[in-house]
Amino acid sequence: MERDPLRLAWKTSPVRHLAGFLLLALTGLLILGGLDLIRILVDRATGGAGGWTAPAAFLRIAISPPAGPWPEPLVLFPGFMLQPEAFAIASVASVLVVPLLIGLILVALEWLAIGIGLRMLTRTQTTALDAILKAPSSSHEDIAMVTALAARGLARENGVLGSSLLVPVKLGGMIGLACAYVFVMHWYLGAALALVLVLGAVVSARRSLLRFDATAARHREGEEAGEVLAELEHRIPALRAHGTGPYERDRVRNALARGHRPVMKREYRLALAESASAAVLMIAPLAVLALGAWFSQTRPVTAGTVASCVLAAALAAHGTREVVQWHRLITRARALLIDLGQGLAPLKLRAAIKGKAALPDNGALVAQGVSAYDPASGARVAAVNLNLAFPSHIALVGDRDAGPRLLAALMSGQLQPSTGRLTFGGIDLAAADPVERSQRIAVAGDTVLIDGTLKDNLLYGCSAPAPERDHRLSEAITVAGLERLTHARGLTGTIDLQREPKLAAAIVEARRAVQAALVTEGLDRFVDPFSAERYNRYATVGENLLFGKAIGDAFQEDGLSSHPFVRAVLEANELTKPLARMGLSIATSMIEIFADIPDGHPLFERFSFFSAADRAYFQDLVERKNEQRRSAQTARDQARLIGLALRYSESRHRLGLLDEAMEERILVARADFARMLPVSLKPAIEFYDEARFCAAASVQDNLLFGRIATDQAGALEAVQGVTRRVLTQRGLDGEVSRIGLDTPIDAQGDDLTLTEIAAVDLVRCLVRRPSILVVQRALEGLPGPAADRLVANLRRVLVGRGLILLTPAISPAMDQPSFDAVIHFERGEPVLDRRTVKREVLSA
């Protein structure tokens, strides 16, 4: 990778740079024209060249060389002869237009720089990405360094990289043009300007060096101060025991003062350099002005010449200061590219050496004297010698799965052997292409979920065409036992009524069939239907109040208690104080129940009414209420307590806070809410209607038009069994599963069980149709019969392909038909179980 930002910029986008150079050349011409216009205007204004009454040539370009060799000016462009009035208007207007044109050109130049920066960023990050993707798993430290530099480092320096070549040309051109103009106007003035600029550049460069020194001194001071204070912390027990506080105070104060002295010395020098740099660069235009005024006594130097030269000197001084600053930024960007290049070099070298060999579809998996160590778990395998011919079905058992898991990590490339070789079909796995390796040997191990839908996660890594991919996914879901999950997520999902009106209508039709089937089978007691005249015991207080689903943020649960219309309805029905008292009881109960459970504990996160961040607030609120102390935020306290009450469900939380009288009052408030809802708020909620599909509600709520009695044993399974049967009969089961696959998934896995998360990785492997499937964690947490069914499904679908099953033990059901080989690991070493003679297995 190119490590010089200037060469990298040019190689990335030469065409854009050429366009930028043309714009800079045009800007230079405008600057020269503007300076000469200023000279003419000042001369005319002060009475020179005949004043405003004499006709003159507009835009005349001429050079006045020394009088000896060239007595007459050298005319490059004769210009346009104008009358005095027209010349005055054109000159004044041009002086005002020139800065505007320069500004527009610089805007275009910035756009070019932004485009160049984007290309450089994309090119450099792509280079880093390719190296990271091809790097072996053992390069953790190099990958971490490259990742940090390619992300935060390049993002920080992107603006500098995009302008790395254009800005020096712009500043250098501005300085050069300004100096050349002054030299042409009067070579004494040009010589004086050049001398001052050289001195200013030297002083500015010295200032930059001193700034680096001061920064390094501050860092050293911080490190030394940290060591001194750490030593003080170490001495605190002795300080308390022996009363040496005054001694330690003096010692630490003196040490800190000694550490600060080098910083003070460098800061004094930096201050002097800063002042000298500013003074020298300020002297540049003043020196030109002073010399011009002095020479005007004896030499033909007009006022306009002096004024234009002073302006040119100011531009040159500004450019000199900016060049020094830009050099510092480019030096930092170059250091970043050098560090990034040094980090990429070993990754590219390893990728060039490895990752080229192609693996066969089948062959022998051979381990020759393989030893490996996993620094994460501390597990180790030693002197493993295996010869497993595939396709076959193998079981790795024992050693608390430490040995089998390390062998699986070696097969997948997550670990590299410390010694020995691991080959497949005679090809060293360490030299195989990582992508092809994962297609040939798929390891269902630790699941890493990604942001996206459940389908995105299940198909992660599958590159088959769409029809084939969907077929593979359906088969893999069945094998892994995830049909129940996809169906359940589909029931909790929603339907876009505008995109799928026919499906919504079919769900409404299926609703009647589900209700009839529940009545026929005597299961209707397990569903509490939605009714405008009845309180739903399995919905929250807030849901009963709304009797519908919120659309948008207006009536969302978090802000419901503070919504003005909701508060008005509660006040009108005298529910504000009862709900606040209910909320106070909830807060008190939650604080008592979770008193010994720390923040972040799964129980607290799942069952508490408030988050860990609000825990201290509600503790303080309960204490104030118990002591009958009024707070300056009484209205806020009341809103927060009502918010707790609106999330309460008696059947789920069972705190005994709702009675029939309270439910009746909530039903009256529900009617008032629907009757008095303003027209402006009607789009914010969709009320339940038995004859219509509620697009904001879940598919399950629309199918049942009610809530399942979660406090009755077996209710959920029985009701979902009926709904699935009805959906299957009506050809809607596949649609519900499709909705489930399209539901977003939590990348942290909080909405999935551990067994479901492991099954996701298993499906990812199955959809790739690998030659060998290594099942590492999919059996964890499964009860015996479920584990037996999963193994039977895997062995059935993998007939003619390889299977390596990691399990603590083999049940009789798993061993039908018998495994081709079973390998027990004891203290990290494989021990052969000669159960069959189909395959030869050698053990160290």
Side-chain angles (χ1 to χ4, degrees), residues 219 349 502 772:
H219 289 165
L349 180 61
K502 293 183 179 180
I772 301 175

Side-chain angles (χ1 to χ4, degrees), residues 447-450 452-458 481-482 484-490 492 602 606 740-741 743-761 764:
T447 309
V448 178
L449 299 175
I450 62 173
T453 64
L454 177 60
K455 186 175 183 178
D456 293 335
N457 275 271
L458 295 176
L482 284 182
R484 184 181 296 274
L485 171 67
T486 57
H487 190 269
R489 291 181 70 90
T492 60
R606 183 174 180 181
L741 289 172
T743 55
I745 200 170
D746 182 5
Q748 304 302 320
D750 292 339
D751 55 348
L752 298 173
T753 65
L754 293 178
T755 55
E756 290 168 347
I757 292 174
V760 167
D761 214 46
R764 288 175 177 174

